[in-house]
Amino acid sequence: METTSLHTTGSKQGKRLLEVRNLETKFYTADGVVNALNGISYSVDEGECLAIVGESGSGKTVGVLSILRLIQSPPGRIVGGEILFKGTDLLKIDDKELRTIRGGAISVIFQDPMTSLNPVMRVGAQITENIREHENLTSRQARQKAADLLGMVGIPTPAKRLDDYPHQFSGGMRQRVMIAMALSCSPQLIIADEPTTALDVTIQAQIVELIKSLQAELGTAVIWISHDLGVVARLADNVAVMYAGHIVEKAPVDELYARPAHPYTIGLLNSLPRLDARIKTKLKAIGGLPPNLLGMLQGCAFAPRCMFATQICREQAPPAIEVAPRHQVACWHSELVSAGERP
Amino acid sequence: MTFAYVFKRLLGTIPLLLGISLILFAIVHFAPGGPLDVYADNPSVSKEALEQIAKAYGLDQPAYIQYFLWLKAVIVGNWGYSIRTGRPVLTEILLRLRPTFELGGLALLFSLVVAIPLGILSATRRGSKLDGALTLASFAGISTPVFWLALLLQLLFSVQLGWLPSAGYQSIGDGSLFDRLAHIVMPAAVLSLATIASWSRFIRSGMADVLNQDYIRTAYAKGHGLLGVIMRHALRNAMIPAITVIAVDFGTVISGAVITETVFAWPGIGRLFMESMDGRDYPMLMGLMMMGSVGIIAANLVADLAYAALDPRIRYG
Ligand code: SF4
């Protein structure tokens, strides 16, 4: 997929922190090659929050785990592209350098706090080992820091909880532990891979608020993966919408919600419950299923589900074009789509 | 609490041991032949003398009476006298305990030191040629008859090369550490082969399972290397399912390795069992088998405790 040279810039006007160019990741499975990422490009500025939104299987998680080369290999392999973090290509550095970045300058909050913490290790030890991997602290200092971090993410009586095991925490509290761990070495970028999906709705809101406030306080850049445009509206500066291993639309958050230009984005927005809807409309699901990424697709991947699809859509993949400042869309008929009344 | 749990478990072993003793006694007595058969065809032992011996050992009583007599004595700590040697059963067993513990202990140490790295290696290279070769080797190891392997090793190292003594606990008139080590390596290696093979399989499958878990990805995301991930995060989790098998094998090996000890003329519990079997030495056999049962029950208890020690989610009470 071609991309224009113009990149979305964060509203906070920071310096460019991360730039992903034409990233391609494939999985070599027994059934054949799965094209999980088909050349995606995006960038994140210092202090920016970029949301990457898509259905499961759209490649959004693979896209961010590829940044730290955390996809399982085999079968996964990054076959092309560049990942420039402060100018250094993370795909070219050796394991040792990569290890200093993992958990140091870039950290990850994983989706499921139930399974992402080691069940047989005390949470204090799980936090301090991250600290001591990257910073020269004594074990007492690291422990003190871990307690401070737990306090910062809102865990009551943090010093006492250090010696507890993960199963002694609730789901929301475990995710707070994960967040404390991710913050422990003052990262410049946090990758949050659907950090609220596995949690109850009320807890979800608390975790979103927590990350938002920590981000504001610490000025850390965040890439937030979600399948839920509703959650994203509350915290992102920019949004990238992914479908079948492509970024199909990318825009500042307000622009995207006001003037979506890709049929898939519109579909996602229509499937959200809206409080301001004047008429009670039924929630609309997008018809059909996401494509099987096994083997190569011809034309636009969304064509089989798209009401705007024409001959050209089925034959050639649409290039990304800029429809408004910092608003890019990969669709042959985006003008038509955005002109059309939103249903 | 753990103490209360152990106490409860120990209490539970009493009826278990009673049942085991009853079954063992029945098996031992139903086996054809008896302790005095060796003398039956001996013309110099008169019929009257035989009857006298039978009476002295209580062998003239019906089997169930014999059982209760045996039980009554055992409860007060008297395990009876060996019919073969005339010495107290307990003394005989204690004499043989040390060689068995030495042999079993060394074999288990071997097994742990070899099986854990092999299992890890296999699991981290799943599907590789090395993994395939190790899988094949472990099946070969499990299927190799112990006596055959023992004979082969004796042929090679004792007969052909002359490096190691073929059997025995130590040379007569020697007994230095080196001499005893030379005697113990071959039986220990033979004894550990099967456990290495099976343990490495269990550790491999436990490891393979654990390495796919989310918390392993978390560990990588913290900047750990492969070794750090395995030592700090994977190994302990991978040992949890393997620990039961390992502990029970501990019990079995420590209770005496009959074939290995016999082939290598090792003066341990296993060979004592063989000898007592041949002589239908009832009190001796009962003593040995009860000890073995206690050993295996203890190993099971230890397995459960080790399980809880490794996995904080498990609490007994
Ligand atoms: S390129 Fe064609 S098929 Fe693809 S989203 Fe646009 S209109 Fe639909």
Side-chain angles (χ1 to χ4, degrees), chain A residues 25-27 32-38 56-60 62 242-246 290-297 301:
Chain A
T25 300
K26 296 184 193 298
F27 287 85
V33 181
V34 177
N35 299 293
L37 286 185
N38 298 305
S56 48
S58 60
K60 55 192 197 301
V62 175
M242 282 194 72
Y243 187 78
H246 295 278
N292 187 351
L293 296 178
L294 214 61
M296 269 309 190
L297 288 164

Side-chain angles (χ1 to χ4, degrees), chain A residues 81-147:
Chain A
E82 287 176 321
I83 299 169
L84 301 171
F85 181 67
K86 297 197 288 182
T88 312
D89 190 347
L90 297 186
L91 295 180
K92 296 221 171 73
I93 59 177
D94 64 24
D95 275 4
K96 221 175 133 204
E97 286 171 275
L98 182 68
R99 284 177 51 194
T100 63
I101 291 177
R102 285 176 174 174
I106 305 179
S107 60
V108 189
I109 303 168
F110 289 103
Q111 179 171 359
D112 191 348
M114 300 298 176
T115 57
S116 295
L117 290 167
N118 186 341
V120 303
M121 201 169 170
R122 298 177 200 277
V123 297
Q126 300 196 44
I127 299 172
T128 50
E129 70 166 353
N130 193 43
I131 299 171
R132 299 194 69 192
E133 185 83 40
H134 300 281
E135 287 170 18
N136 249 331
L137 295 184
T138 65
S139 60
R140 279 191 62 177
Q141 290 168 321
R143 205 176 145 82
Q144 184 54 50
K145 188 167 179 186

